[in-house]
Coordinates of all heavy atoms in Angstrom, one line a residue:
M23 N 117.3 45.0 167.7 CA 117.7 44.8 166.3 C 119.2 44.9 166.2 O 119.8 44.2 165.3 CB 117.0 45.8 165.5 CG 115.5 45.5 165.5 SD 114.5 46.1 164.2 CE 115.4 46.0 162.7
A24 N 119.8 45.8 167.0 CA 121.3 45.9 166.9 C 122.0 44.6 167.3 O 123.0 44.2 166.7 CB 121.7 47.1 167.7
E25 N 121.4 44.0 168.3 CA 122.0 42.7 168.8 C 121.9 41.6 167.7 O 122.9 40.9 167.5 CB 121.3 42.3 170.0 CG 121.8 41.0 170.7 CD 121.1 40.6 171.9 OE1 120.0 41.1 172.1 OE2 121.7 39.8 172.7
A26 N 120.8 41.5 167.0 CA 120.6 40.6 166.0 C 121.5 40.9 164.8 O 122.1 39.9 164.2 CB 119.2 40.5 165.5
A27 N 121.7 42.1 164.5 CA 122.5 42.5 163.4 C 124.0 42.3 163.7 O 124.8 42.1 162.7 CB 122.3 44.0 163.0
A28 N 124.4 42.3 164.9 CA 125.8 42.1 165.3 C 126.1 40.6 165.6 O 127.1 40.3 166.3 CB 126.1 43.0 166.5
G29 N 125.3 39.7 165.2 CA 125.5 38.3 165.4 C 125.2 37.9 166.8 O 125.9 37.0 167.4
M30 N 124.2 38.4 167.4 CA 123.7 38.1 168.8 C 124.7 38.5 169.8 O 124.8 37.8 170.9 CB 123.3 36.6 168.9 CG 122.1 36.2 168.0 SD 120.7 37.4 168.0 CE 120.0 37.0 169.6
R31 N 125.5 39.5 169.6 CA 126.4 40.0 170.6 C 125.9 41.4 170.8 O 125.5 42.1 169.9 CB 127.9 40.1 170.0 CG 128.5 38.7 169.9 CD 129.9 38.7 169.5 NE 130.7 39.6 170.4 CZ 131.5 40.6 170.0 NH1 131.6 40.8 168.7 NH2 132.2 41.3 170.8
W32 N 126.0 41.9 172.1 CA 125.5 43.2 172.4 C 126.5 44.3 172.0 O 127.5 44.5 172.7 CB 125.2 43.2 173.9 CG 124.5 44.5 174.4 CD1 125.1 45.5 175.1 CD2 123.2 44.8 174.2 NE1 124.1 46.5 175.3 CE2 122.9 46.1 174.7 CE3 122.1 44.2 173.5 CZ2 121.7 46.7 174.7 CZ3 120.9 44.8 173.5 CH2 120.7 46.1 174.0
P33 N 126.2 45.1 171.0 CA 127.2 46.1 170.5 C 127.0 47.4 171.2 O 127.9 48.3 171.0 CB 126.8 46.2 169.0 CG 125.3 46.0 169.0 CD 125.1 44.9 170.1
L34 N 126.0 47.7 171.9 CA 125.7 48.9 172.6 C 126.4 49.0 174.0 O 126.9 47.9 174.5 CB 124.2 49.1 172.7 CG 123.4 49.1 171.3 CD1 122.0 49.2 171.6 CD2 123.9 50.2 170.5
P35 N 126.4 50.1 174.6 CA 126.9 50.2 176.0 C 126.2 49.2 176.9 O 125.0 48.9 176.8 CB 126.7 51.6 176.4 CG 126.6 52.4 175.1 CD 126.0 51.4 174.1
A36 N 127.0 48.7 177.9 CA 126.5 47.7 178.8 C 125.3 48.2 179.6 O 124.4 47.4 180.0 CB 127.6 47.2 179.7
A37 N 125.2 49.5 179.9 CA 124.1 50.0 180.7 C 122.8 49.9 180.0 O 121.7 49.9 180.6 CB 124.4 51.4 181.1
L38 N 122.8 49.8 178.6 CA 121.6 49.8 177.9 C 121.0 48.4 177.8 O 119.8 48.2 177.5 CB 121.8 50.3 176.5 CG 122.0 51.8 176.4 CD1 122.2 52.2 174.9 CD2 120.9 52.6 177.0
C39 N 121.7 47.4 178.2 CA 121.2 46.0 178.1 C 120.0 45.8 179.1 O 119.0 45.3 178.6 CB 122.3 45.0 178.4 SG 121.8 43.3 178.2
P40 N 120.1 46.1 180.3 CA 119.0 45.9 181.2 C 117.8 46.9 180.9 O 116.6 46.5 181.0 CB 119.5 46.2 182.6 CG 120.8 46.9 182.5 CD 121.3 46.5 181.1
V41 N 118.1 48.0 180.4 CA 117.1 49.0 179.9 C 116.3 48.4 178.8 O 115.0 48.5 178.7 CB 117.7 50.4 179.6 CG1 116.6 51.3 179.1 CG2 118.3 51.0 180.9
A42 N 117.0 47.8 177.8 CA 116.4 47.2 176.6 C 115.5 46.0 177.1 O 114.3 45.9 176.6 CB 117.4 46.8 175.6
N43 N 116.0 45.2 178.0 CA 115.2 44.1 178.5 C 114.0 44.6 179.2 O 112.9 44.0 179.1 CB 116.0 43.2 179.4 CG 117.0 42.3 178.6 OD1 116.7 42.0 177.4 ND2 118.1 42.0 179.1
F44 N 114.1 45.6 180.1 CA 113.0 46.2 180.8 C 111.9 46.7 179.9 O 110.8 46.4 180.1 CB 113.5 47.3 181.7 CG 112.4 48.0 182.4 CD1 111.8 47.5 183.5 CD2 111.9 49.2 181.9 CE1 110.8 48.2 184.2 CE2 110.9 49.9 182.5 CZ 110.3 49.4 183.7
C45 N 112.3 47.4 178.8 CA 111.3 47.9 177.9 C 110.6 46.8 177.1 O 109.4 46.8 176.9 CB 112.0 48.9 176.9 SG 112.6 50.4 177.6
F46 N 111.4 45.8 176.7 CA 110.8 44.7 176.0 C 109.8 43.9 176.8 O 108.6 43.7 176.4 CB 111.9 43.7 175.6 CG 111.4 42.5 174.9 CD1 111.0 42.5 173.6 CD2 111.5 41.3 175.5 CE1 110.6 41.4 172.9 CE2 111.0 40.1 174.9 CZ 110.6 40.2 173.6
Y47 N 110.2 43.5 178.1 CA 109.3 42.7 178.9 C 108.1 43.5 179.5 O 107.0 43.0 179.6 CB 110.0 42.0 180.0 CG 110.9 40.9 179.5 CD1 112.2 40.9 179.5 CD2 110.3 39.8 178.9 CE1 113.0 39.9 179.0 CE2 111.0 38.7 178.4 CZ 112.4 38.8 178.4 OH 113.1 37.8 177.9
S48 N 108.4 44.8 179.8 CA 107.3 45.6 180.3 C 106.2 45.9 179.3 O 105.0 45.9 179.6 CB 107.8 46.9 181.0 OG 108.4 47.7 180.0
S49 N 106.6 46.0 178.0 CA 105.6 46.2 177.0 C 104.8 44.9 176.7 O 103.6 45.0 176.5 CB 106.3 46.7 175.7 OG 107.1 45.6 175.1
M50 N 105.4 43.8 176.9 CA 104.7 42.5 176.8 C 103.7 42.4 177.9 O 102.5 42.0 177.7 CB 105.6 41.3 176.7 CG 106.3 41.2 175.4 SD 107.1 39.6 175.2 CE 107.6 39.0 176.7
Y51 N 104.1 42.7 179.2 CA 103.2 42.6 180.3 C 102.1 43.6 180.2 O 100.9 43.3 180.5 CB 104.0 42.8 181.6 CG 104.6 41.6 182.1 CD1 106.0 41.4 182.0 CD2 103.9 40.6 182.8 CE1 106.6 40.3 182.5 CE2 104.5 39.5 183.3 CZ 105.9 39.4 183.1 OH 106.5 38.2 183.6
L52 N 102.4 44.8 179.7 CA 101.4 45.9 179.6 C 100.3 45.5 178.6 O 99.1 45.7 178.8 CB 102.0 47.2 179.3 CG 102.6 47.9 180.5 CD1 103.5 49.1 180.0 CD2 101.5 48.4 181.4
S53 N 100.7 45.0 177.5 CA 99.7 44.6 176.4 C 98.8 43.5 177.0 O 97.6 43.6 176.8 CB 100.4 44.2 175.1 OG 101.2 43.1 175.3
G54 N 99.4 42.6 177.6 CA 98.5 41.5 178.2 C 97.6 42.0 179.3 O 96.4 41.6 179.3
L55 N 98.1 42.9 180.2 CA 97.3 43.4 181.2 C 96.2 44.3 180.7 O 95.0 44.3 181.2 CB 98.1 44.2 182.2 CG 99.0 43.3 183.1 CD1 100.0 44.2 183.9 CD2 98.2 42.5 184.1
F56 N 96.5 45.1 179.7 CA 95.4 46.0 179.1 C 94.4 45.2 178.4 O 93.2 45.5 178.4 CB 96.0 47.1 178.2 CG 96.5 48.3 179.0 CD1 97.8 48.6 179.2 CD2 95.5 49.2 179.5 CE1 98.2 49.7 179.9 CE2 95.9 50.3 180.3 CZ 97.2 50.5 180.4
L57 N 94.8 44.1 177.7 CA 93.8 43.2 177.1 C 92.9 42.6 178.1 O 91.7 42.4 177.9 CB 94.5 42.2 176.2 CG 95.0 42.7 174.8 CD1 95.8 41.6 174.2 CD2 93.9 43.2 174.0
A58 N 93.5 42.1 179.2 CA 92.7 41.5 180.3 C 91.7 42.6 180.9 O 90.6 42.2 181.2 CB 93.6 41.0 181.4
A59 N 92.2 43.8 181.1 CA 91.3 44.8 181.6 C 90.2 45.1 180.6 O 89.0 45.3 181.1 CB 92.1 46.1 181.9
L60 N 90.5 45.1 179.4 CA 89.4 45.4 178.4 C 88.4 44.2 178.4 O 87.2 44.4 178.3 CB 90.0 45.5 177.0 CG 89.1 45.7 175.8 CD1 88.4 47.1 175.9 CD2 89.8 45.7 174.5
S61 N 88.9 43.0 178.5 CA 88.0 41.8 178.6 C 87.1 41.9 179.8 O 85.9 41.5 179.7 CB 88.8 40.5 178.6 OG 89.6 40.4 177.4
V62 N 87.7 42.3 180.9 CA 86.9 42.4 182.2 C 85.8 43.4 182.0 O 84.6 43.3 182.4 CB 87.8 42.7 183.4 CG1 86.9 43.1 184.6 CG2 88.6 41.5 183.7
R63 N 86.1 44.6 181.4 CA 85.2 45.7 181.2 C 84.1 45.2 180.2 O 82.9 45.5 180.5 CB 85.9 46.9 180.6 CG 85.0 48.0 180.1 CD 84.4 48.7 181.3 NE 83.5 49.7 180.8 CZ 82.6 50.3 181.5 NH1 82.4 50.0 182.7 NH2 81.9 51.2 181.0
R64 N 84.4 44.5 179.2 CA 83.4 44.0 178.3 C 82.5 42.9 178.9 O 81.3 42.9 178.7 CB 84.0 43.4 177.0 CG 84.5 44.5 176.1 CD 85.0 44.0 174.8 NE 85.4 45.1 174.0 CZ 85.8 45.1 172.8 NH1 85.8 43.9 172.2 NH2 86.1 46.1 172.1
Y65 N 83.1 42.1 179.7 CA 82.3 41.1 180.5 C 81.3 41.7 181.4 O 80.1 41.4 181.4 CB 83.2 40.1 181.3 CG 82.4 39.3 182.3 CD1 81.6 38.2 181.9 CD2 82.4 39.7 183.6 CE1 80.9 37.5 182.8 CE2 81.7 38.9 184.6 CZ 80.9 37.9 184.1 OH 80.1 37.2 185.0
L66 N 81.8 42.8 182.1 CA 80.9 43.5 183.1 C 79.8 44.2 182.3 O 78.7 44.3 182.8 CB 81.7 44.4 183.9 CG 82.6 43.8 184.9 CD1 83.4 44.8 185.6 CD2 81.9 43.0 185.9
G67 N 80.1 44.7 181.1 CA 79.1 45.4 180.3 C 78.0 44.4 179.8 O 76.8 44.8 179.7
V68 N 78.4 43.2 179.6 CA 77.4 42.1 179.1 C 76.7 41.5 180.3 O 75.4 41.4 180.3 CB 78.1 41.0 178.3 CG1 77.2 39.9 178.1 CG2 78.7 41.6 177.0
A69 N 77.4 41.3 181.4 CA 76.8 40.7 182.6 C 75.8 41.6 183.3 O 74.8 41.2 183.9 CB 77.8 40.1 183.5
F70 N 76.2 42.9 183.4 CA 75.5 43.9 184.1 C 75.2 45.1 183.2 O 75.8 46.2 183.5 CB 76.2 44.3 185.4 CG 76.7 43.2 186.3 CD1 78.0 42.7 186.3 CD2 75.7 42.5 187.1 CE1 78.3 41.7 187.1 CE2 76.1 41.5 187.8 CZ 77.4 41.0 187.8
P71 N 74.4 45.0 182.2 CA 74.2 46.1 181.3 C 73.6 47.4 181.9 O 73.9 48.5 181.4 CB 73.3 45.5 180.2 CG 72.6 44.4 180.8 CD 73.5 43.9 181.9
L72 N 72.7 47.2 182.8 CA 72.0 48.4 183.4 C 73.0 49.2 184.3 O 72.8 50.4 184.4 CB 70.8 48.0 184.1 CG 69.7 47.3 183.2 CD1 68.5 46.9 184.1 CD2 69.3 48.2 182.1
R73 N 73.9 48.5 185.0 CA 74.8 49.2 185.9 C 75.9 50.0 185.2 O 76.3 51.0 185.7 CB 75.5 48.1 186.8 CG 75.0 48.2 188.2 CD 75.8 47.3 189.0 NE 75.0 46.4 189.8 CZ 75.4 45.4 190.5 NH1 76.7 45.1 190.5 NH2 74.5 44.6 191.1
L74 N 76.3 49.5 184.0 CA 77.4 50.1 183.3 C 77.0 50.8 182.0 O 77.6 50.8 181.0 CB 78.4 49.0 182.9 CG 79.1 48.4 184.1 CD1 80.0 47.2 183.7 CD2 79.9 49.3 184.9
Q75 N 75.8 51.5 182.1 CA 75.4 52.3 181.0 C 76.2 53.5 180.8 O 76.7 54.1 181.8 CB 73.9 52.7 181.1 CG 73.0 51.6 180.9 CD 71.5 52.0 181.0 OE1 71.2 53.0 181.7 NE2 70.6 51.4 180.3
G76 N 76.4 54.0 179.6 CA 77.1 55.2 179.3 C 78.6 55.0 179.3 O 79.1 53.9 179.3
R77 N 79.3 56.1 179.2 CA 80.8 56.1 179.2 C 81.3 55.9 180.6 O 80.8 56.4 181.5 CB 81.3 57.4 178.6 CG 80.7 57.6 177.2 CD 81.4 58.7 176.5 NE 82.8 58.3 176.4 CZ 83.6 58.9 175.7 NH1 83.3 60.0 175.0 NH2 84.9 58.6 175.6
P78 N 82.5 55.2 180.7 CA 83.1 55.1 182.0 C 83.7 56.4 182.4 O 84.0 57.3 181.6 CB 84.3 54.0 181.7 CG 84.5 54.1 180.2 CD 83.2 54.5 179.6
E79 N 83.8 56.5 183.7 CA 84.4 57.7 184.3 C 85.9 57.8 183.9 O 86.6 56.8 184.0 CB 84.3 57.7 185.8 CG 82.8 57.7 186.3 CD 82.7 57.6 187.8 OE1 83.7 57.8 188.5 OE2 81.7 57.3 188.2
A80 N 86.3 59.0 183.6 CA 87.7 59.2 183.1 C 88.7 59.0 184.3 O 89.8 58.4 184.1 CB 87.9 60.6 182.6
G81 N 88.3 59.3 185.5 CA 89.2 59.2 186.7 C 89.4 57.7 187.0 O 90.5 57.3 187.3
R82 N 88.4 56.9 186.8 CA 88.5 55.5 187.1 C 89.4 54.8 186.0 O 90.2 53.9 186.3 CB 87.1 54.8 187.1 CG 87.2 53.4 187.5 CD 85.8 52.8 187.7 NE 85.2 53.4 188.9 CZ 84.0 53.3 189.2 NH1 83.1 52.6 188.5 NH2 83.5 53.9 190.3
V83 N 89.2 55.2 184.8 CA 90.0 54.6 183.7 C 91.5 55.0 183.9 O 92.4 54.2 183.8 CB 89.5 55.1 182.3 CG1 90.5 54.7 181.2 CG2 88.1 54.6 182.1
L84 N 91.8 56.2 184.3 CA 93.1 56.7 184.6 C 93.7 55.9 185.7 O 94.9 55.6 185.7 CB 93.2 58.2 184.8 CG 93.0 59.0 183.5 CD1 93.0 60.5 183.9 CD2 94.1 58.8 182.5
A85 N 92.9 55.7 186.8 CA 93.4 55.0 188.0 C 93.8 53.5 187.6 O 94.8 53.0 188.0 CB 92.4 55.0 189.1
V86 N 92.9 52.9 186.8 CA 93.2 51.5 186.4 C 94.5 51.4 185.5 O 95.3 50.6 185.7 CB 92.0 50.9 185.7 CG1 92.4 49.5 185.1 CG2 90.9 50.7 186.8
S87 N 94.6 52.4 184.6 CA 95.8 52.4 183.7 C 97.0 52.7 184.5 O 98.0 52.0 184.3 CB 95.6 53.6 182.7 OG 94.5 53.3 181.9
A88 N 97.0 53.6 185.5 CA 98.2 53.8 186.3 C 98.5 52.6 187.1 O 99.7 52.3 187.3 CB 97.9 55.0 187.2
L89 N 97.5 51.9 187.7 CA 97.8 50.7 188.4 C 98.4 49.6 187.6 O 99.3 49.0 188.0 CB 96.5 50.2 189.1 CG 96.6 48.9 189.9 CD1 97.3 49.2 191.2 CD2 95.2 48.4 190.2
L90 N 97.9 49.5 186.3 CA 98.5 48.5 185.4 C 100.0 48.8 185.1 O 100.8 47.9 185.0 CB 97.7 48.3 184.2 CG 96.3 47.7 184.4 CD1 95.5 47.7 183.0 CD2 96.3 46.4 185.0
W91 N 100.2 50.1 184.8 CA 101.6 50.5 184.5 C 102.5 50.3 185.8 O 103.6 49.8 185.6 CB 101.6 52.0 184.2 CG 101.4 52.3 182.7 CD1 100.2 52.5 182.1 CD2 102.4 52.3 181.7 NE1 100.4 52.7 180.8 CE2 101.8 52.6 180.5 CE3 103.8 52.1 181.7 CZ2 102.5 52.7 179.3 CZ3 104.5 52.2 180.5 CH2 103.8 52.5 179.3
L92 N 102.0 50.6 186.9 CA 102.8 50.4 188.1 C 103.1 48.9 188.4 O 104.2 48.5 188.7 CB 102.1 51.0 189.4 CG 102.8 50.9 190.7 CD1 104.0 51.7 190.7 CD2 101.8 51.3 191.8
L93 N 102.1 48.1 188.2 CA 102.2 46.6 188.3 C 103.3 46.1 187.3 O 104.2 45.3 187.7 CB 100.9 45.9 188.1 CG 100.9 44.4 188.3 CD1 101.1 44.0 189.7 CD2 99.5 43.9 187.8
A94 N 103.1 46.4 186.1 CA 104.0 45.9 185.1 C 105.5 46.4 185.3 O 106.4 45.6 185.2 CB 103.5 46.2 183.6
C95 N 105.6 47.7 185.5 CA 106.9 48.2 185.7 C 107.6 47.8 186.9 O 108.8 47.5 187.0 CB 106.9 49.8 185.6 SG 106.5 50.4 184.0
S96 N 106.9 47.6 188.0 CA 107.5 47.1 189.3 C 107.9 45.6 189.1 O 108.9 45.2 189.6 CB 106.6 47.3 190.4 OG 105.4 46.5 190.3
H97 N 107.1 44.9 188.4 CA 107.5 43.5 188.2 C 108.7 43.3 187.3 O 109.6 42.5 187.5 CB 106.3 42.7 187.6 CG 106.5 41.3 187.3 ND1 106.6 40.4 188.4 CD2 106.7 40.6 186.2 CE1 106.8 39.2 187.9 NE2 106.9 39.3 186.5
C98 N 108.8 44.2 186.3 CA 109.9 44.1 185.3 C 111.1 44.8 185.8 O 112.2 44.7 185.2 CB 109.5 44.6 184.0 SG 108.3 43.6 183.2
S99 N 111.0 45.6 186.9 CA 112.2 46.2 187.4 C 113.2 45.2 188.0 O 114.3 45.6 188.3 CB 111.8 47.3 188.5 OG 111.3 46.6 189.6
V100 N 112.8 44.0 188.2 CA 113.6 43.0 188.7 C 114.8 42.8 187.7 O 115.9 42.5 188.2 CB 112.8 41.7 188.9 CG1 113.8 40.5 189.2 CG2 111.8 41.8 190.0
V101 N 114.6 43.0 186.5 CA 115.6 42.8 185.5 C 116.8 43.8 185.7 O 117.9 43.5 185.8 CB 115.1 43.1 184.0 CG1 116.2 43.1 183.0 CG2 114.0 42.0 183.7
I102 N 116.4 45.1 186.0 CA 117.4 46.1 186.3 C 118.1 45.9 187.6 O 119.3 46.0 187.7 CB 116.8 47.5 186.2 CG1 116.3 47.7 184.8 CG2 117.8 48.5 186.7 CD1 115.6 49.1 184.5
V103 N 117.3 45.5 188.6 CA 117.9 45.2 189.9 C 118.9 44.1 189.9 O 120.0 44.1 190.5 CB 116.8 45.0 191.0 CG1 117.4 44.6 192.3 CG2 116.0 46.3 191.2
A104 N 118.5 43.0 189.2 CA 119.4 41.8 189.1 C 120.6 42.2 188.3 O 121.7 41.7 188.7 CB 118.6 40.7 188.4
E105 N 120.5 43.0 187.3 CA 121.7 43.4 186.6 C 122.7 44.3 187.4 O 123.9 44.1 187.4 CB 121.3 44.1 185.3 CG 122.5 44.6 184.4 CD 123.2 43.4 183.8 OE1 122.5 42.3 183.6 OE2 124.4 43.5 183.5
L106 N 122.1 45.2 188.2 CA 122.9 46.1 189.0 C 123.6 45.4 190.2 O 124.7 45.6 190.5 CB 122.1 47.3 189.5 CG 121.7 48.2 188.4 CD1 120.8 49.3 189.0 CD2 122.8 48.9 187.7
Y107 N 122.8 44.5 190.9 CA 123.3 43.9 192.1 C 123.7 42.5 192.0 O 124.4 41.9 192.8 CB 122.2 44.0 193.2 CG 121.9 45.5 193.6 CD1 120.7 46.0 193.2 CD2 122.9 46.2 194.2 CE1 120.4 47.4 193.5 CE2 122.6 47.6 194.5 CZ 121.4 48.1 194.2 OH 121.1 49.4 194.4
G108 N 123.4 41.8 190.9 CA 123.7 40.4 190.7 C 125.2 40.2 190.3 O 125.7 39.1 190.6
K109 N 125.8 41.1 189.7 CA 127.2 40.9 189.2 C 128.2 40.8 190.4 O 129.1 39.9 190.4 CB 127.6 42.0 188.3 CG 127.0 42.0 187.0 CD 127.7 42.7 186.0 CE 127.0 42.6 184.6 NZ 127.7 41.9 183.7
G110 N 128.0 41.6 191.5 CA 128.9 41.5 192.6 C 128.8 40.1 193.3 O 129.8 39.5 193.7
E111 N 127.6 39.6 193.4 CA 127.4 38.3 194.0 C 127.9 37.2 193.2 O 128.5 36.2 193.7 CB 125.9 38.1 194.3 CG 125.3 39.0 195.3 CD 123.8 38.9 195.5 OE1 123.2 38.0 194.8 OE2 123.2 39.7 196.2
E112 N 127.8 37.3 191.8 CA 128.4 36.3 190.9 C 129.9 36.3 191.0 O 130.5 35.2 191.0 CB 128.0 36.6 189.5 CG 126.5 36.3 189.2 CD 126.1 36.8 187.8 OE1 127.0 37.2 187.0 OE2 124.9 36.7 187.5
D113 N 130.5 37.5 191.1 CA 131.9 37.6 191.2 C 132.4 36.9 192.5 O 133.4 36.2 192.5 CB 132.4 39.0 191.1 CG 132.3 39.6 189.7 OD1 132.1 38.8 188.8 OD2 132.3 40.8 189.6
A114 N 131.7 37.2 193.6 CA 132.1 36.6 194.9 C 131.9 35.1 194.9 O 132.8 34.4 195.4 CB 131.2 37.3 196.0
A115 N 130.9 34.6 194.3 CA 130.7 33.2 194.2 C 131.7 32.5 193.4 O 132.1 31.4 193.6 CB 129.3 32.8 193.7
A116 N 132.2 33.2 192.3 CA 133.2 32.6 191.4 C 134.6 32.8 192.0 O 135.6 32.4 191.4 CB 133.1 33.2 190.0
G117 N 134.8 33.5 193.1 CA 136.1 33.7 193.7 C 136.8 34.9 193.1 O 138.0 35.1 193.4
R118 N 136.1 35.8 192.4 CA 136.8 37.0 191.9 C 136.5 38.2 192.8 O 136.9 39.3 192.5 CB 136.3 37.3 190.5 CG 136.7 36.3 189.5 CD 136.3 36.7 188.1 NE 134.8 36.7 188.0 CZ 134.0 35.8 187.5 NH1 134.6 34.7 187.0 NH2 132.7 36.0 187.4
G119 N 135.8 38.0 193.9 CA 135.5 39.1 194.8 C 136.5 39.4 195.8 O 136.3 40.1 196.8
G120 N 137.7 39.0 195.6 CA 138.8 39.2 196.7 C 138.7 38.1 197.7 O 138.0 37.1 197.6
G121 N 139.5 38.3 198.7 CA 139.5 37.3 199.8 C 140.7 36.4 199.7 O 141.8 36.8 199.4
E122 N 140.6 35.1 200.0 CA 141.7 34.2 200.2 C 142.0 33.5 198.9 O 141.7 32.3 198.8 CB 141.3 33.2 201.3 CG 141.0 33.9 202.6 CD 140.5 32.9 203.6 OE1 140.6 31.6 203.4 OE2 140.0 33.3 204.7
G123 N 142.6 34.2 198.0 CA 143.2 33.6 196.8 C 142.1 33.1 195.8 O 142.4 32.4 194.9
G124 N 140.9 33.4 196.0 CA 139.8 33.0 195.1 C 139.3 31.7 195.3 O 138.5 31.2 194.5
D125 N 139.8 30.9 196.3 CA 139.2 29.6 196.5 C 138.0 29.6 197.4 O 137.9 30.4 198.3 CB 140.3 28.7 197.2 CG 141.5 28.4 196.3 OD1 141.3 28.5 195.1 OD2 142.6 28.2 196.9
L126 N 137.0 28.8 197.0 CA 135.9 28.7 197.9 C 136.1 27.6 198.9 O 136.4 26.5 198.5 CB 134.6 28.3 197.0 CG 134.1 29.4 196.0 CD1 133.0 28.9 195.2 CD2 133.7 30.7 196.8
K127 N 136.1 27.9 200.1 CA 136.4 26.9 201.1 C 135.1 26.5 201.8 O 134.3 27.3 202.1 CB 137.3 27.5 202.1 CG 138.6 28.0 201.5 CD 139.7 28.1 202.4 CE 140.9 28.6 201.7 NZ 142.1 28.1 202.0
V128 N 135.0 25.2 202.0 CA 133.8 24.7 202.7 C 134.3 24.2 204.1 O 135.2 23.4 204.2 CB 133.3 23.5 201.9 CG1 132.1 22.9 202.6 CG2 132.9 23.9 200.5
G129 N 133.6 24.7 205.1 CA 133.9 24.3 206.4 C 133.5 22.9 206.7 O 132.5 22.4 206.2
R130 N 134.2 22.2 207.6 CA 133.8 20.9 208.0 C 133.0 20.9 209.3 O 133.4 21.7 210.1 CB 135.0 20.0 208.1 CG 135.7 19.8 206.8 CD 136.9 18.9 207.0 NE 137.7 18.8 205.8 CZ 138.0 17.8 205.2 NH1 137.7 16.6 205.7 NH2 138.7 17.8 204.1
V131 N 132.1 20.0 209.4 CA 131.3 20.0 210.6 C 131.9 19.0 211.6 O 132.4 18.0 211.3 CB 129.8 19.6 210.3 CG1 129.0 19.5 211.5 CG2 129.3 20.5 209.2

């Protein structure tokens, strides 16, 4: 909201930009994954009503929840890794990484 209020410019410290993106995208992935897990549970309850009688085991529910959190957070951690390690490669490709005058030289075969 701060970005929208500032005319689509990032007014906060630069370190918070990848964190904000990580939180935004991981919450979207998590909501979709939990809805999918709920749909699978309901399908199994309808398809196999005698096998899934009663309440689900708390340990199994916690394990599935932890797995979904791990999956979403590991997938969205690419945002933070790209922000931390991508800038050095961009600077080197643009010629700002030091070297021979900033020119990109192509060797001839």
Side-chain angles (χ1 to χ4, degrees):
M23 295 200 36
E25 183 180 17
M30 299 311 287
R31 292 186 52 232
W32 188 253
L34 301 173
L38 290 180
C39 183
V41 173
N43 284 333
F44 174 81
C45 291
F46 177 75
Y47 287 111
S48 63
S49 67
M50 284 194 333
Y51 277 102
L52 280 168
S53 63
L55 288 171
F56 275 108
L57 285 173
L60 181 66
S61 298
V62 167
R63 173 72 181 162
R64 288 189 175 183
Y65 166 75
L66 292 174
V68 170
F70 307 103
L72 298 178
R73 255 191 230 169
L74 297 175
Q75 283 182 335
R77 299 190 63 165
E79 297 176 17
R82 186 173 292 168
V83 171
L84 287 174
V86 169
S87 296
L89 180 69
L90 293 179
W91 272 92
L92 181 67
L93 179 68
C95 290
S96 63
H97 181 72
C98 292
S99 67
V100 172
V101 172
I102 293 177
V103 171
E105 181 69 25
L106 291 176
Y107 297 109
K109 289 199 179 246
E111 293 173 7
E112 290 173 4
D113 289 344
R118 293 185 297 261
E122 301 175 11
D125 293 334
L126 293 176
K127 303 205 181 212
V128 178
R130 296 183 188 234
V131 179

